[in-house]
């Protein structure tokens, strides 16, 4: 059988990784797909740049439209990233009747609804396994392997750069900027690394996971997003003393009134498997009503781990070429006309426990006033820690762990605490999840 012909957009870190993996594992891939998969044409902005792969047999161009308009190309592989040119090229490829494989989480999170509608109308597939969790087959697991379940919640470490930074800061006491530069040089970080450290990249990925888990449209603009830039070494140390680790999590949870969608630093008990996912590794914990908790772990970024997911999509699409479009796995796991209009809840309605860190004048009655404010609002205290102050310190550091409470009640309590004369610094609030 003739090999499937692929047009590649982008020859960066992941693009070169895909070329290498397709060449190295050509025989295994052919045995699985029933035919070869061959890149026939590729575009890159700068054709003079050295690439870390053998481009023999591939027609190169600096004009990406030549790839999507090439009549020979059956699958367009989009690896240029961003949501401008990438969106135009993907739409054009679909209009040309080509299938698409992409690793572009921003594109799917922001424009997926429109892209999938157009693809369904054209009878083509858009595959995006590499968009979430790098090499972890998390899309396939939720979309296909858990399809007998009602998904209750999921929580994941879904940004490798952020996890790498938090791990190095905790284990080696390194500075934030220094670790970020290393993540960039290793090819983990986004073109704009603020996407990693401010949680935008994780919010893109959570948008996609929530959609396939709950059968709701993609709603990136409804995700509550907080990054890791305000986490201090003091908070990391306090968390450790209380038996917790701080991880940057994306959480999607079904509540009776709607769906919680949130990305933020989170204290999790140190004995949980997720608390021990370090470095660039990602992990997603998914709880289904039938199966219970399931955990998916693996490298969340990097050339060949991401290529692993991309090539699996190419194999899937190669097999799908002869399948009636109506019998293919739906893009968002649920049939397009069966997506639910469950509301995404505002963050004020989320329910979580809290870590509060405050500095207050060191005098009798201050802790009593704080606990009274919490008690009056029905907020139960789980633990209190008063780290030994530095000799010269005039105020005291107080750390409180609360039981789960609605966020609006906690915000109300925090406002009242902040108004106390004794409070000397803005209070730090970090959510706590038991992940039971
Ligand atoms: N910048 C992303 C990360 C790459 O660090 O996880 C993979 O999506």
């Amino acid at each position: 059988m003739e090999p499937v012909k692929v047009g590649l957009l982008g020859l960066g870190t992941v693009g070169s990784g895909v070329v290498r993996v397709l060449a190295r594992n050509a025989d295994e891939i052919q045995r699985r797909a029933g035919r070869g998969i061959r890149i026939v044409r590729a575009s890159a902005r700068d054709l003079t740049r050295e690439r870390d792969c053998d481009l023999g047999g591939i027609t190169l161009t600096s004009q990406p439209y030549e790839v999507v308009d090439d009549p020979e190309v059956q699958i367009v592989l989009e690896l240029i990233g961003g949501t401008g040119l990438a969106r135009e090229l993907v739409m054009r490829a679909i209009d040309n009747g080509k299938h698409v494989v992409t690793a572009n989480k921003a594109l799917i999170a922001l424009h997926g609804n429109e892209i999938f509608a157009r693809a369904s109308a054209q009878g083509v597939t858009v595959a995006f396994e590499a968009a979430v969790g790098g090499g972890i087959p998390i899309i396939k697991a939720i979309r296909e392997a858990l399809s007998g379940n009602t998904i209750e919640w999921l929580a994941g470490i879904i940004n490798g750069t952020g996890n790498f930074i938090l791990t190095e800061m905790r284990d080696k006491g390194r500075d934030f900027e220094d670790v970020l530069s290393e993540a960039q040089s290793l090819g983990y970080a986004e073109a704009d690394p603020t996407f990693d450290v401010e949680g935008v990249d994780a919010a893109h990925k959570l948008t996609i996971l929530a959609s396939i888990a709950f059968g709701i449209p993609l709603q990136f603009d409804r995700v509550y997003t907080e990054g890791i830039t305000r986490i201090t070494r003091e908070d990391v140390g306090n968390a450790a003393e209380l038996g917790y680790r701080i991880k940057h999590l994306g959480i999607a949870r079904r509540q009776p009134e709607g769906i919680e969608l949130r990305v933020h630093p989170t204290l999790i008990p140190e004995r949980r498997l997720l608390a021990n996912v370090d470095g660039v590794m990602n992990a997603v914990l998914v709880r289904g009503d039938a199966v219970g908790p399931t955990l998916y772990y693996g490298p969340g970024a990097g050339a060949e781990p991401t290529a692993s997911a991309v090539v699996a999509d190419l194999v899937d699409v190669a097999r799908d070429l002869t399948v009636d479009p109506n019998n293919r796995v739906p893009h968002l796991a649920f049939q397009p006309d069966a997506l639910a209009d469950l509301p995404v809840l505002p963050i004020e309605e989320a329910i979580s426990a809290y870590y509060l860190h405050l500095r207050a004048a060191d005098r009798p009655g201050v802790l009593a006033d704080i606990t009274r404010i919490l008690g009056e609002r029905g907020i139960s205290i789980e633990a209190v820690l008063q780290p030994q102050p530095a000799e010269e310190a005039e105020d005291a550091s107080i750390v409180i762990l609360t039981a789960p409470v609605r966020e609006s009640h906690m915000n109300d309590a925090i406002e009242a605490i902040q108004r106390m004369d004794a409070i000397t610094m803005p209070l730090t609030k970090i959510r706590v999840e038991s992940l039971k």
Side-chain angles (χ1 to χ4, degrees), residues 288-304:
D289 67 333
V291 68
T294 59
L295 181 66
Y296 309 86
Y297 169 84
E304 292 209 5

Side-chain angles (χ1 to χ4, degrees), residues 131-146:
V132 184
I136 309 173
I138 186 65
I139 301 292
K140 201 167 189 84
I142 298 178
R143 195 165 59 179
E144 298 177 47
L146 296 180

Side-chain angles (χ1 to χ4, degrees), residues 105 158-161 188-190 196 201 205 300-301:
K105 51 264 160 138
I158 44 180
N159 181 267
T161 301
Y188 303 152
E190 295 305 296
D196 294 301
D201 177 74
K205 294 166 178 167

Side-chain angles (χ1 to χ4, degrees), residues 177-258:
E177 292 297 339
D178 166 38
V179 191
L180 176 59
S181 320
E182 188 182 342
Q184 285 175 293
S185 67
L186 290 168
Y188 303 152
E190 295 305 296
D192 176 355
T194 59
F195 273 34
D196 294 301
V197 296
E198 295 296 356
V200 180
D201 177 74
H204 288 147
K205 294 166 178 167
L206 185 70
T207 302
I208 298 171
L209 291 180
S211 186
I212 60 171
F214 303 125
I216 55 174
L218 296 148
Q219 296 166 77
F220 169 71
D221 54 350
R222 306 301 308 275
V223 182
Y224 172 80
T225 306
E226 247 180 63
I228 59 169
T229 52
R230 282 172 293 278
I231 298 296
T232 64
R233 253 188 261 168
E234 205 183 351
D235 291 320
V236 172
N238 291 337
E241 204 151 320
L242 289 159
Y244 289 81
R245 291 213 174 141
I246 300 180
K247 290 290 180 187
H248 193 223
L249 292 192
I251 298 173
R253 181 182 282 135
R254 195 189 286 271
Q255 275 203 41
E257 315 80 39

Side-chain angles (χ1 to χ4, degrees), residues 143 328-336:
R143 195 165 59 179
R328 293 185 189 137
V329 179
H331 291 112
L332 291 176
F334 293 71
Q335 297 298 332

